[in-house]
Amino acid sequence: MRLKIDLILEMMKMKIINFHKLFFSVLFLILFIGCSENNQSTNNKKLSIFVASSAKYAIEDITKEFKKEIDDEVEIEVYSSSSGKGFAQLQNGFKYDLYFSADSIYPKKIIENNLAKEYKVYAKGLLVLYSKNSDLLKNNNLVEILTNQNISKIAVANPKLAPYGVLGIKLLKNLNLENKLKSKLVFGSNIAQTVQFVDSGNAEIGLVAKSLVKDKKFLSIDKKLFKPISQSFVLTKFGENKSLAVKFRDFVLSKKAQLIIQSYGFEPVIKSQ
């Protein structure tokens, strides 16, 4: 009889222990799901965006309009540098939700690296000749200005990192001036720094993005001499499941956003009616 009682008591203990295990397992699962949903909700209120220097101010203005459009409190962080640096960061683990390049080459590389599925063109970038000294630009003859003996330094973005640098060097090649002017060239790590070289007096003139000097003195360059850059962007694998990132992608290509793009000296990809 004693053995049976002990056996019954042991079985009851096992059931109680198993019940406790089940209870805490269910409780943990509920808490885990709750935390996950809370994190997803929090993450969907934040966006991390990389943008090439040439489009920094335009994208910042677009984010302001986007916030008004969705009538919601969201946090959008915009990081800016050369397209090449942003690409390297993305490759090395930076979890940008969207990546805005100054060309379409880097977005294609991002897709090749399985970090995004498709790219879209958001603007056509234009190259101009910029100088703080308006007298240097009075001539309106691009070749004569570039070969002016009084000019000792010409600022160009680094073609290894910045698409506008590639465009600037191609222009000099098309004009058969690359070798002649090689000793005068100073390279900015991105197109914004290239503008700063001219602003600071470290270079008399610079081949820069129109979007960064739209309110300053510059000489427009005939588009027969260069092809406007198809500035493109991707929704990365880090942002593709965020509804906020998807909405921002679509907003960038809206007429309202394209008007902002155009106001910064870009050619829009969607013409307003």
Side-chain angles (χ1 to χ4, degrees):
M1 177 65 71
R2 180 67 181 176
L3 184 61
K4 286 184 178 180
I5 293 173
D6 289 343
L7 184 59
I8 291 169
L9 289 173
E10 190 64 32
M11 290 175 67
M12 289 176 68
K13 285 181 183 179
M14 290 294 293
K15 285 183 179 180
I16 292 170
I17 291 170
N18 289 335
F19 174 78
H20 283 170
K21 285 182 178 178
L22 179 62
F23 174 79
F24 285 112
S25 295
V26 171
L27 181 61
F28 175 78
L29 183 61
I30 291 170
L31 290 173
F32 177 77
I33 292 171
C35 288
S36 296
E37 289 179 348
N38 187 53
N39 285 337
Q40 285 180 350
S41 176
T42 302
N43 287 338
N44 208 33
K45 294 282 186 180
K46 293 182 178 180
L47 277 186
S48 178
I49 298 173
F50 173 84
V51 57
S53 302
S54 59
K56 177 179 183 289
Y57 301 117
I59 294 299
E60 285 179 342
D61 277 1
I62 287 173
T63 61
K64 292 174 186 175
E65 285 302 313
F66 177 69
K67 287 181 179 181
K68 295 177 186 176
E69 188 84 4
I70 61 174
D71 191 28
D72 202 358
E73 290 187 6
V74 296
E75 183 181 341
I76 302 178
E77 295 179 328
V78 178
Y79 302 89
S80 180
S81 187
S82 67
S83 299
K85 185 173 181 179
F87 170 68
Q89 289 175 336
L90 196 57
Q91 275 192 313
N92 291 321
F94 280 66
K95 294 182 179 180
Y96 294 123
D97 297 309
L98 296 108
Y99 168 97
F100 288 82
S101 181
D103 65 2
S104 59
I105 294 175
Y106 284 109
K108 287 176 181 176
K109 288 181 179 180
I110 290 171
I111 293 168
E112 289 170 4
N113 282 271
N114 297 316
L115 293 170
K117 293 177 180 176
E118 64 175 349
Y119 74 91
K120 295 179 181 291
V121 179
Y122 66 94
K124 296 280 188 176
L126 302 176
L127 189 72
V128 298
L129 185 67
Y130 168 55
S131 178
K132 284 188 72 178
N133 184 350
S134 57
D135 289 339
L136 290 175
L137 304 178
K138 282 182 179 178
N139 188 337
N140 284 333
N141 186 308
L142 180 62
V143 174
E144 288 185 10
I145 295 171
L146 289 169
T147 55
N148 185 328
Q149 296 299 314
N150 294 321
I151 292 173
S152 60
K153 296 296 178 185
I154 302 171
V156 183
N158 185 345
K160 293 180 180 179
L161 296 171
Y164 275 92
V166 175
L167 196 62
I169 296 300
K170 278 186 179 179
L171 173 70
L172 295 179
K173 285 181 179 178
N174 291 340
L175 296 172
N176 295 316
L177 293 176
E178 184 186 16
N179 291 330
K180 185 175 183 178
L181 300 177
K182 187 175 288 186
S183 62
K184 293 186 177 184
L185 300 182
V186 290
F187 296 98
S189 60
N190 55 59
I191 197 64
Q193 188 181 62
T194 308
V195 172
Q196 289 170 5
F197 281 166
V198 179
D199 286 339
S200 64
N202 289 316
E204 291 93 341
I205 57 176
L207 292 168
V208 304
K210 182 180 179 181
S211 57
L212 295 181
V213 295
K214 66 184 183 73
D215 297 321
K216 301 179 181 182
K217 300 289 184 182
F218 64 84
L219 176 70
S220 295
I221 298 174
D222 192 332
K223 282 187 280 187
K224 292 178 182 178
L225 297 173
F226 75 97
K227 184 179 179 181
I229 307 180
S230 293
Q231 300 200 194
S232 306
F233 75 107
V234 296
L235 176 67
T236 73
K237 71 174 187 178
F238 306 111
E240 63 183 6
N241 293 320
K242 288 185 180 181
S243 60
L244 186 63
V246 173
K247 286 178 183 177
F248 189 79
R249 176 199 64 187
D250 296 339
F251 185 75
V252 168
L253 298 175
S254 70
K255 288 180 180 178
K256 183 178 285 188
Q258 286 293 302
L259 283 173
I260 295 173
I261 291 284
Q262 191 171 15
S263 73
Y264 276 88
F266 293 103
E267 290 183 351
V269 293
I270 296 176
K271 304 247 175 162
S272 58
Q273 296 296 326

